[in-house]
Amino acid sequence: EVQLVESGGGLVQAGGSLRLSCAASGITFEKYAIGWFRQAPGKEREAVSCITSVDGSSIIYYADSVKGRFTISSDNAENTVYLQMDGLRAEDTAVYYCAAGFGLVGPEIIIFDKTMYEYWGQGTQVTVSS
């Protein structure tokens, strides 16, 4: 059974930081792209950041809205992907989901497409107060 479990969400003041974790089980971790998506009330689910691997090298993608503030990383030994979020803004408030897509690589139009991901976690709430 495939499971993706997010953790690390919470309430933080604007300018603060949070670190989200996505622990995966039931998949061959290195063969999947792991993406972070978010969904704010009344809005579409949107891609935030994705990490994938080609020939053993990681390739990382960021949405323009989070470049320079968020950092994605992967610990293959722990089957876990992290999203370090710094300089948080009120507009970052959303439910954050991680997702796994087999063999996904860029360009962004593909790897940021939520329909390309087979497995999803349950989500973790991030609330940024202004």
Side-chain angles (χ1 to χ4, degrees), residues 62-123:
Y62 294 104
D64 288 343
S65 59
V66 305
K67 280 180 183 174
R69 300 189 298 122
F70 290 11
T71 305
I72 193 170
S73 61
S74 175
D75 184 339
N76 288 354
E78 296 294 327
N79 281 11
T80 300
V81 170
Y82 303 97
L83 186 68
Q84 177 67 39
M85 305 187 295
D86 299 316
L88 283 162
R89 305 166 180 167
E91 54 264 39
D92 295 318
T93 295
V95 178
Y96 283 70
Y97 300 89
C98 69
F102 181 77
L104 288 180
V105 294
E108 288 182 2
I109 194 170
I110 293 175
I111 206 162
F112 280 176
D113 181 352
K114 58 184 178 290
T115 68
M116 302 297 288
Y117 289 78
E118 297 99 318
Y119 303 108
W120 290 82
Q122 81 288 350

Side-chain angles (χ1 to χ4, degrees), residues 7-54:
S7 60
L11 173 64
V12 64
Q13 288 188 332
S17 299
L18 284 173
R19 187 194 196 203
L20 304 184
S21 299
C22 172
S25 59
I27 59 173
T28 304
F29 191 68
E30 296 80 2
K31 294 186 177 182
Y32 281 78
I34 303 295
W36 283 100
F37 294 77
R38 67 186 181 187
Q39 188 165 17
K43 293 190 175 181
E44 292 271 331
R45 191 171 298 190
E46 63 177 4
V48 174
S49 181
C50 304
I51 186 167
T52 189
S53 177
V54 176

